[in-house]
Amino acid sequence: MSTTAKASDHVKPCNIEQSERHNRRDAEYITSLNPRTLYVRPELSHNNESYVVPDLKGITLQQHYDAIKAMVKQKTGRAMQEKKVTVIGKNGKPKERNGSSPIRESVVNIKSDTTMADLQKYTQKVQERWGVRAIQIHIHKDEGHYTNPDDPSTWQPNLHAHIIWDWMNHDTGKSFKLGKKDMEELQDLAAETLEMERGKRKSETGHEHLERNDFILSEQRKQSAELDNEIAVKRDRLNAENGNAIKSGVANLFGKGKYADMEKENKRLKEELPKQKAALQQKHQQVLDAERDRLGQQLAEKDKIIEGLQTKYKNEVQHHQQDNQEKDRIIDQKDRIINDYRERLGHYLSTLSELLRGAVKAVIDYVQSGYRSFSARQDGDVRRYLNGQLDKEEAATNVYNASLPYLKTDECERVKGQLSYIVQDMKEEQYLSRSHGFHR
């Protein structure tokens, strides 16, 4: 069986979170892998390479995804369709249509001497042909699998590169549409640019592209089938040779000769077959256990995130409740102060004469209204009190002093000015009145 890597580029929607963890090779991700079937060898990771287009350096795939959503809304006036929807097909029957996949990922087989420049040349040709832009390239030379997990020498490398594509036309806000023929041409372009043998077309093999774990299981099943076939061929050959030997009267004479040796080989193979099948089944189970452990780890991480969000929400609710309680306390305190102020004001005013109470109340209304000068009513209430007093200035001082408990520092001068203006005006009116009486 040939082990020469063939060119292939299989494109699928990008699982953003899983892709970034896989390509970053962070310690948490490596720890989540099953050491028994570890398909990433950290001691080889220094051979890996990564490339990000200059304008997206420091930008996560999730941030770029969000930017694409905003671009689609701006260009088309509609929100990007992210979820599956049910539509009616031409045959009148409902069918599911996948949501938009603005970011896609492909895994490209490479050779040991394939360079980042080779892959950039390939992605440039893809962009020139279809407009699809590669925004990240990650070469992985530390992945593979052990044919026998107990034997380090059985390591089989899986040389490949991950290419992250921006599958959107940023001029129109719509995704690029590549049909079946386009995807076949993509495979041809990969083989030609990377100088590799073209893999068989899916139309010829009828096989879908297998993910990493499925590929390992498929290879192990294939090895098991080849082993079974080899044993069956040897058994048939031995049976045929033994049958011929019996017919000739020579077979197994004295239990010696090549036929006896072949019988021993046949017996050994029969004894070895259950062991090898058991070993393969154990490997299959180990791969499945590793995948189950990985998915369990992801689920545990998500549960931890949800628990953290719930705790944060409860803390925020408690904080808002405490804030509301404090605000209610302050409001109650202010209400008590205002009520006390009103009671004291009423008691104080009741001790004054009726006209003086009216003048003081006019002053308090004035400062609370924020007006620049007394209103006509406030002016009249003050004048009625001053008219009953011989010394207008002394009377104005009485009004001011009676108002002091209810004035702020910056309000005192304003009140003094208004009272002084009224006194001066009344004096001028009195003077004019006398002058008119003298001339008569």
Side-chain angles (χ1 to χ4, degrees), residues 45 136 214 299:
S45 297
Q136 292 184 12
D214 295 333
L299 183 60

Side-chain angles (χ1 to χ4, degrees), residues 137-155:
I137 303 174
H138 304 278
I139 296 177
H140 290 164
K141 295 184 178 181
D142 56 353
E143 290 186 43
H145 71 279
Y146 292 100
T147 304
N148 180 0
D150 296 320
D151 185 359
S153 66
T154 63
W155 172 258

Side-chain angles (χ1 to χ4, degrees), residues 328-429:
D328 291 341
R329 187 189 66 78
I330 293 173
I331 292 173
D332 290 341
Q333 184 180 23
K334 289 183 177 180
D335 287 342
R336 288 196 298 271
I337 293 173
I338 292 172
N339 291 335
D340 181 63
Y341 170 81
R342 287 174 177 170
E343 289 179 3
R344 289 191 292 109
L345 175 61
H347 176 72
Y348 177 73
L349 291 178
S350 67
T351 63
L352 304 177
S353 67
E354 182 178 354
L355 291 178
L356 181 56
R357 285 203 304 271
V360 172
K361 189 174 185 305
V363 171
I364 295 172
D365 289 343
Y366 160 67
V367 296
Q368 289 182 345
S369 68
Y371 295 152
R372 296 180 61 183
S373 59
F374 282 156
S375 66
R377 182 183 61 78
Q378 294 162 354
D379 185 276
D381 289 343
V382 173
R383 287 177 184 267
R384 273 192 289 275
Y385 171 69
L386 296 183
N387 281 333
Q389 307 298 318
L390 293 175
D391 189 339
K392 308 301 181 188
E393 292 183 353
E394 183 180 354
T397 300
N398 290 338
V399 173
Y400 175 74
N401 291 333
S403 303
L404 272 177
Y406 307 99
L407 299 180
K408 296 179 182 178
T409 303
D410 60 332
E411 296 170 342
C412 294
E413 292 302 321
R414 289 172 53 203
V415 171
K416 277 185 180 181
Q418 290 297 307
L419 292 174
S420 177
Y421 170 77
I422 292 175
V423 170
Q424 187 65 31
D425 187 58
M426 292 180 71
K427 284 182 178 182
E428 290 179 358
E429 288 179 354

